[in-house]
């Protein structure tokens, strides 16, 4: 599957979140708040490449399910999903830059 498809697929995101141990109520909350893909999650708290602080993650999770406190397990699972999503997004940026550079170099020859 192409990297863009992985980043923009809601089904893949749900599967990834579940495999990371994020519970279904949190996955549903993300979907309900239109953060249902890795691409969207990558930018939801800070830009990829910028580490989100625990306070930023806590505020984000609190906004997803007001009145519900994330357990340590939910918090750590969410941080893993966030890390994996951002890693894929950064890889996408690097791949696009590499392709662009290869095209530029190819035109110079």
């Amino acid at each position: 599957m192409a990297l863009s498809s992985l980043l923009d697929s809601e089904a893949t995101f749900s599967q990834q979140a579940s495999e990371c141990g994020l519970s279904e109520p949190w996955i549903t909350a993300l979907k309900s708040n239109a953060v249902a893909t890795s691409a969207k999650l990558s930018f939801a708290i800070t830009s990829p490449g910028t580490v989100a602080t625990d306070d930023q993650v806590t505020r984000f999770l609190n906004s997803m399910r007001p009145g519900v406190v994330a357990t340590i397990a939910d918090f750590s699972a969410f941080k893993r999903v966030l890390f994996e999503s951002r890693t894929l997004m950064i890889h996408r940026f690097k791949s696009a830059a590499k392709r662009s550079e290869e095209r530029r170099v190819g035109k110079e020859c």
Side-chain angles (χ1 to χ4, degrees), residues 6 8 13 18 23 28 43-44 51 55 57 67 72 84 101 103 106:
L6 288 173
D8 296 322
F13 177 75
S18 181
S23 64
T28 300
F43 291 93
V51 177
D55 286 340
V57 172
I72 292 172
E84 290 183 5
E101 178 66 17
R103 283 193 294 266

Side-chain angles (χ1 to χ4, degrees), residues 47-60:
S47 298
T50 304
V51 177
T53 66
D54 287 349
D55 286 340
Q56 289 172 312
V57 172
T58 298
R59 281 194 303 274
F60 179 79

Side-chain angles (χ1 to χ4, degrees), residues 33-72:
N33 285 280
V35 185
T37 67
S38 291
K40 289 181 181 177
L41 180 60
S42 293
F43 291 93
I45 301 173
T46 62
S47 298
T50 304
V51 177
T53 66
D54 287 349
D55 286 340
Q56 289 172 312
V57 172
T58 298
R59 281 194 303 274
F60 179 79
L61 289 174
N62 288 344
S63 72
M64 293 294 104
R65 294 179 67 200
V68 176
V69 177
T71 66
I72 292 172

Side-chain angles (χ1 to χ4, degrees), residues 1-105:
M1 181 180 284
L3 187 54
S4 294
S5 297
L6 288 173
L7 284 163
D8 296 322
S9 168
E10 290 186 20
T12 301
F13 177 75
S14 293
Q15 179 182 350
Q16 173 193 15
S18 181
E19 288 174 1
C20 288
L22 194 61
S23 64
E24 193 58 42
W26 287 104
I27 296 169
T28 300
L30 289 166
K31 289 179 184 178
S32 297
N33 285 280
V35 185
T37 67
S38 291
K40 289 181 181 177
L41 180 60
S42 293
F43 291 93
I45 301 173
T46 62
S47 298
T50 304
V51 177
T53 66
D54 287 349
D55 286 340
Q56 289 172 312
V57 172
T58 298
R59 281 194 303 274
F60 179 79
L61 289 174
N62 288 344
S63 72
M64 293 294 104
R65 294 179 67 200
V68 176
V69 177
T71 66
I72 292 172
D74 291 326
F75 187 80
S76 63
F78 176 79
K79 285 188 74 171
R80 180 177 168 194
V81 174
L82 179 61
F83 175 80
E84 290 183 5
S85 294
R86 289 171 161 214
T87 300
L88 285 171
M89 184 58 73
I90 290 169
H91 180 70
R92 180 181 185 184
F93 292 151
K94 286 181 179 180
S95 294
K98 183 178 179 182
R99 283 191 306 275
S100 177
E101 178 66 17
E102 287 171 353
R103 283 193 294 266
R104 186 185 67 75
V105 170

